[in-house]
Amino acid sequence: MTGGTARKPSGRELAILRELEKKVLWLASWTIHHANHVRDNVDGVKVGGHQASSASLASIMTALYFRALRPQDRVAVKPHASPIYHAIQYLLGRQSRQKLEDFRGYKGAQSYPSRSKDTDDVDFSTGSVGLGVAQTLFSALVQDYVRAHGWGLEQPEGRMIALVGDAELDEGNIFEAILEGWKQGLRNCWWIIDYNRQSLDAVIREGLWARFEALFQAFGWDVVILKYGTLLEEAFREPGGERLRAWIDNCPNQLYSALVFQGGAAWRRRLLDEIGDQGDVTRLIEARFDEELARLMTNLAGHDLPSLIEAFGKVDHDRPICFICYTIKGFGLPFAGHKDNHAGLMTPAQAESLRAAMNIRPGHEWDKFEGLGIAARELQQFLEHVPFAASTRRYRAAPIEVPAELSVTIQPVMSTQAGFGALLNELGRARPAIAERIVTTSPDVTVSTNLGPWVNRRGLFAREALADTFKSERIPSTFNWDFSPKGQHIELGIAEMNLFILLSALGLSHAINGERLIPIGTLYDPFIQRGLDALNYACYQDARFILVATPSGITLAPEGGAHQSIATPLIGLAQDGLAAFEPAFVDELAVILAFAFDYVQRDAEGEASERNWLRDETGGSVYLRLSTRPIEQIKRTMTSELRQAIVDGAYWQRPPGPNCQVVVGYTGAVVPEAIQAVGLMAEDRRDMGLLAVTSADRLNAGWTAAQRARERGLVHARSHIE
Ligand SMILES: Cc1ncc(C[n+]2csc(CCOP(=O)(O)OP(=O)(O)O)c2C)c(N)n1
Ligand SMILES: [Mg+2]
């Protein structure tokens, strides 16, 4: 199907790729060195930059970006390989020299690939390890969702690829994702593990690869182990070679790393000591100079372009694959293999020797083809024909029309959660354009967050249809649990991390698949904290979604209990890119939901509005904090002023009179108590006000922005709450 570049590279092509691999390593290392030793840094502060961690992926990324990838593929690059990514983009003409020079500085290339801050076409942000990896898996599922609904079929299917650190696999969210991927029939997903056997602190446990292999296989992935490069494979075929292979296979990670660091003479001593036989093995070792021996012994497949190109090129199926690529942390740099190298930087003297070794003249460090053995014109021509860089990779999708008002039948007494269920049910029934693009998802709380009626109408999503046996057996049940490729609800297992990463993937569909989705995720409010880092990650990538958190009380019932959502209002206030609302009444919720459908689709630039001091044109995601508490509803006509005030964050339920001394403000389901309090206090106070706060988050954001504007001299700036 998706046919990679199965063709073997010609000798010339391989020679070009080898030159580019060298150049990528140089540029990445120089970028970091420049930021720390050359650029004027404030007070000589080192900005760091992970040379070792980058070097580990130089060969793999050369093989991918310059050969194996196609424009439709999407990649999450291990955070610390960011300099390698930027170097590749620089060679492809998509990254500026200025941004490399400003690496880790203000407006410079980012230390971790950033979708929103970098300008060189980063597919997925990474940084908090584990999240970008899982994002590729969920993006593969979203691609299937989009195509199953008949959209985006004019584009070829892409592969979602993660470059994963071996220690990154310690993160639990990765395992949650693997399990979910298995349930959902994951395809088109590659995880390439940079098996350098080092974490941040030290060398990792022996034999992890075997755990990884068993684990991935257990969940239906193909596992491809890339261990030895072509030089070593050839040496293994020489007389005595099998003894050498057995020795390396049994060599502990720590010893191997130490010898890599020490170099050729140390390799010779150790090998002769342990397997020297005055025969074949000794001859094999002694036939090589120190430098050659070191090159042989470090010729792992993860640094061997022919092995990598062959492995990536021969994939001819869409099953998920885990590549375990043996690599060396810091490969090609003076601290290769040293266990303390994670944040290591080359000294100026070391950078000088590397420059000399790379044939780079002082002052020509940024020249794209300086010091290479192939003419600039040929290299440039090659770069211009790299398949990956051939076409647009970031799409735009037209906005979907949002009805001005959402209709809902409001019961005299009703909770906001029930109102949410009713609103979605009505959307599912009336089928406005927006309803076709809504995709709901929930981590095993679909029914208890009131998505049931919507799911009954629109069905569950799966690539293969699966009927609800209870229905076919005619057993009465409230919920229709039929799966089909046209279904609009993605049911997840109970892992909130997965919910947020799926929302992140769904919420980027307009840019990644060119097809806009309106994702709505529901969960119990306290469990936002379980997935908080993933929520932050989704917002940081500017994914667009609506999060419906319910129930949200400090208790589920009068007896109290464990599900206490105490800190979430502060999360709503603090999280950038997320507008948080807590309506009390269902008519408010209807207004906010209509606003949210539009707000998640906006992406215009713009100045803050003088009305509320919010920058609403840029849009963002929305968080609705709802409740199961039935509240007596107010019968009122929704005016455009009230509608606007609800969206801006507050309105007067009872405006204060001229002699007002006390105002009661409330948010959400405590409205009966607030009304009662005003009633009691009004006995001896006049003109009391009752302020309905629908979004403390937006009031706060507007107030802060207005204050800032006043400091800049706009003395009349007033926010909505003021
Ligand atoms: C969630 C999270 N915790 C901690 C860190 C700090 N951290 C950055 S890299 C790293 C170790 C990475 O090791 P590995 O994945 O093997 O990559 P390598 O450096 O070997 O390339 C750690 C602990 C982080 N970025 N994210
Ligand atoms: Mg590692």
Side-chain angles (χ1 to χ4, degrees):
M1 41 131 302
T2 40
T5 316
R7 179 179 54 80
K8 253 183 90 138
S10 66
R12 191 64 189 165
E13 199 180 343
L14 198 55
I16 291 175
L17 288 167
R18 289 207 158 106
E19 294 296 278
L20 292 174
E21 176 192 27
K22 256 202 302 200
K23 185 49 76 180
V24 163
L25 177 63
W26 163 259
L27 282 169
S29 309
W30 177 254
T31 298
I32 300 168
H33 180 76
H34 179 272
N36 287 283
H37 290 284
V38 183
R39 187 170 85 203
D40 274 343
N41 286 319
V42 186
D43 304 326
V45 174
K46 297 273 178 280
V47 300
H50 309 99
Q51 278 166 327
S53 191
S54 284
S56 179
L57 270 178
S59 323
I60 292 173
M61 288 174 70
T62 297
L64 281 175
Y65 282 92
F66 295 125
R67 191 142 202 294
L69 294 182
R70 302 143 317 155
Q72 65 269 29
D73 298 330
R74 299 285 182 277
V75 190
V77 175
K78 181 189 81 166
H80 295 122
S82 175
I84 297 281
Y85 178 79
H86 295 309
I88 289 172
Q89 295 297 316
Y90 175 64
L91 289 172
L92 290 171
R94 298 168 159 221
Q95 176 61 291
S96 72
R97 172 172 163 179
Q98 191 60 48
K99 294 221 180 256
L100 293 186
E101 288 191 19
D102 293 341
F103 177 66
R104 283 199 143 195
Y106 184 56
K107 295 209 185 273
Q110 293 288 303
S111 45
Y112 309 131
S114 169
R115 226 193 117 74
S116 44
K117 290 184 176 175
D118 276 317
T119 50
D120 56 347
D121 201 23
V122 169
D123 293 328
F124 302 117
S125 301
T126 57
S128 177
V129 296
L131 301 182
V133 180
Q135 169 96 30
T136 58
L137 183 151
F138 286 104
S139 288
L141 299 183
V142 171
Q143 174 174 259
D144 276 346
Y145 179 93
V146 166
R147 299 176 76 87
H149 285 78
W151 302 317
L153 296 173
E154 63 288 352
Q155 259 109 251
E157 269 177 11
R159 289 187 183 117
M160 305 297 160
I161 300 174
L163 301 171
V164 191
D166 45 3
E168 191 165 8
L169 279 153
D170 286 330
E171 286 290 358
N173 84 277
I174 292 185
F175 299 89
E176 297 175 1
I178 294 173
L179 180 53
E180 194 60 52
W182 172 79
K183 292 183 200 166
Q184 307 275 352
L186 175 69
R187 330 179 285 138
N188 288 316
C189 184
W190 288 10
W191 286 1
I192 301 174
I193 300 178
D194 176 9
Y195 196 56
N196 61 20
R197 289 145 294 135
Q198 279 187 251
S199 61
L200 188 158
D201 282 333
V203 176
I204 62 175
R205 290 280 184 289
E206 298 304 322
L208 254 188
W209 66 271
R211 310 294 118 202
F212 293 161
E213 182 183 34
L215 182 113
F216 280 94
Q217 281 173 346
F219 288 100
W221 293 54
D222 281 20
V223 177
V224 177
I225 298 178
L226 295 174
K227 187 164 184 183
Y228 296 121
T230 34
L231 290 181
L232 272 170
E233 290 292 357
E234 276 162 23
F236 295 154
R237 285 193 288 271
E238 290 176 30
E242 276 312 315
R243 297 271 327 266
L244 182 67
R245 182 204 289 275
W247 183 88
I248 309 186
D249 278 342
N250 292 318
C251 180
N253 291 335
Q254 284 224 38
L255 176 62
Y256 183 85
S257 297
L259 290 169
V260 168
F261 177 72
Q262 289 169 303
W267 280 114
R268 184 180 310 282
R269 237 177 294 121
R270 193 79 189 202
L271 288 170
L272 289 175
D273 248 20
E274 299 201 354
I275 50 172
D277 59 356
Q278 302 306 322
D280 290 341
V281 179
T282 302
R283 264 195 298 282
L284 192 159
I285 296 165
E286 295 291 26
R288 290 156 170 98
F289 300 119
D290 280 357
E291 209 174 295
E292 275 176 291
L293 187 60
R295 184 140 46 90
L296 175 69
M297 296 304 290
T298 57
N299 177 238
L300 301 181
H303 296 296
D304 188 64
L305 288 177
S307 308
L308 292 166
I309 289 169
E310 190 197 338
F312 298 147
K314 76 177 176 201
V315 178
D316 59 357
H317 58 80
D318 63 6
R319 291 189 299 278
I321 311 180
C322 168
F323 293 92
I324 302 176
C325 296
Y326 277 74
T327 57
I328 291 167
K329 191 157 167 173
F331 187 71
L333 301 179
F335 36 58
H338 197 295
K339 71 180 171 65
D340 304 342
N341 65 10
H342 185 80
L345 289 170
M346 284 189 288
T347 61
Q350 288 173 327
E352 200 50 46
S353 335
L354 187 66
R355 185 222 305 276
M358 298 260 183
N359 291 324
I360 290 167
R361 290 164 295 165
H364 293 263
E365 294 84 359
W366 299 110
D367 294 4
K368 289 187 183 170
F369 307 118
E370 172 78 2
L372 299 181
I374 294 179
R377 201 150 47 91
E378 193 181 347
L379 292 170
Q380 183 59 43
Q381 205 172 25
F382 178 90
L383 290 172
E384 280 162 18
H385 290 92
V386 163
F388 171 74
S391 59
T392 315
R393 305 186 60 263
R394 213 178 259 217
Y395 297 107
R396 295 181 74 86
I400 313 292
E401 197 189 317
V402 179
E405 277 175 48
L406 301 181
S407 63
V408 58
T409 308
I410 300 178
Q411 310 294 338
V413 177
M414 200 176 192
S415 70
T416 46
Q417 187 194 89
F420 167 70
L423 277 158
L424 271 204
N425 183 36
E426 184 54 25
L427 278 167
R429 190 192 63 78
R431 298 169 162 265
I434 194 98
E436 303 306 313
R437 295 285 170 156
I438 290 176
V439 45
T440 55
T441 180
S442 185
D444 202 24
V445 289
T446 298
V447 168
S448 51
T449 56
N450 246 345
L451 273 178
W454 159 265
V455 175
N456 278 347
R457 290 193 185 278
R458 311 316 298 256
L460 293 113
F461 171 73
R463 263 192 311 119
E464 314 268 330
L466 184 68
D468 182 344
T469 308
F470 277 71
K471 202 169 80 181
S472 51
E473 292 291 321
R474 298 172 191 280
I475 303 172
S477 152
T478 320
F479 301 107
N480 171 6
W481 216 245
D482 279 330
F483 290 83
S484 85
K486 293 285 173 252
Q488 282 181 255
H489 174 76
I490 301 179
E491 178 72 5
L492 293 173
I494 329 167
E496 287 74 14
M497 275 288 188
N498 282 344
L499 170 72
F500 288 119
I501 302 175
L502 174 58
L503 287 174
S504 177
L506 290 166
L508 287 174
S509 178
H510 53 282
I512 288 179
N513 303 305
E515 295 292 336
R516 193 177 288 281
L517 299 175
I518 308 287
I520 300 179
T522 67
L523 86 169
Y524 295 175
D525 192 60
F527 303 128
I528 284 181
Q529 290 160 120
R530 180 69 79 101
L532 191 52
D533 196 26
L535 169 62
N536 177 51
Y537 172 71
C539 292
Y540 177 64
Q541 297 210 86
D542 203 22
R544 299 302 179 82
F545 52 88
I546 298 169
L547 182 64
V548 179
T550 179
S552 67
I554 52 166
T555 161
L556 273 184
E559 97 286 0
H563 293 359
Q564 305 196 351
S565 67
I566 297 164
T568 50
L570 292 176
I571 291 170
L573 277 174
Q575 180 61 54
D576 194 25
L578 190 67
F581 292 90
E582 186 165 352
F585 299 105
V586 175
D587 61 352
E588 295 170 1
L589 175 63
V591 166
I592 294 167
L593 194 59
F595 167 77
F597 286 148
D598 187 52
Y599 186 72
V600 295
Q601 301 191 61
R602 297 181 192 170
D603 63 356
E605 302 282 318
E607 287 307 304
S609 140
E610 297 208 359
R611 180 170 47 75
N612 57 13
W613 287 89
L614 297 172
R615 215 183 276 264
D616 279 349
E617 297 84 347
T618 54
S621 288
V622 173
Y623 162 26
L624 306 179
R625 195 167 182 267
L626 305 185
S627 168
T628 48
R629 184 182 193 189
I631 301 282
E632 201 178 318
Q633 303 289 306
I634 314 174
K635 274 214 170 70
R636 55 186 168 186
T637 343
M638 186 55 67
T639 62
S640 59
E641 292 77 42
L642 180 56
R643 182 182 296 278
Q644 188 61 61
I646 288 169
V647 167
D648 286 347
Y651 64 90
W652 290 112
Q653 262 238 37
R654 171 174 158 166
N659 299 308
C660 173
Q661 287 175 313
V662 174
V663 163
V664 172
Y666 72 89
T667 194
V670 294
V671 58
E673 282 75 15
I675 293 173
Q676 199 184 8
V678 169
L680 287 172
M681 284 190 279
E683 286 171 14
D684 49 16
R685 282 176 213 275
R686 292 196 296 157
D687 292 352
M688 285 191 60
L690 180 60
L691 183 70
V693 174
T694 46
S695 173
D697 178 28
R698 283 168 61 83
L699 294 182
N700 174 62
W703 182 40
T704 315
Q707 271 178 311
R708 229 181 289 131
R710 288 197 289 272
E711 279 162 24
R712 288 198 315 265
L714 293 169
V715 287
H716 300 299
R718 287 286 175 281
S719 61
H720 184 60
I721 190 63
E722 288 166 291

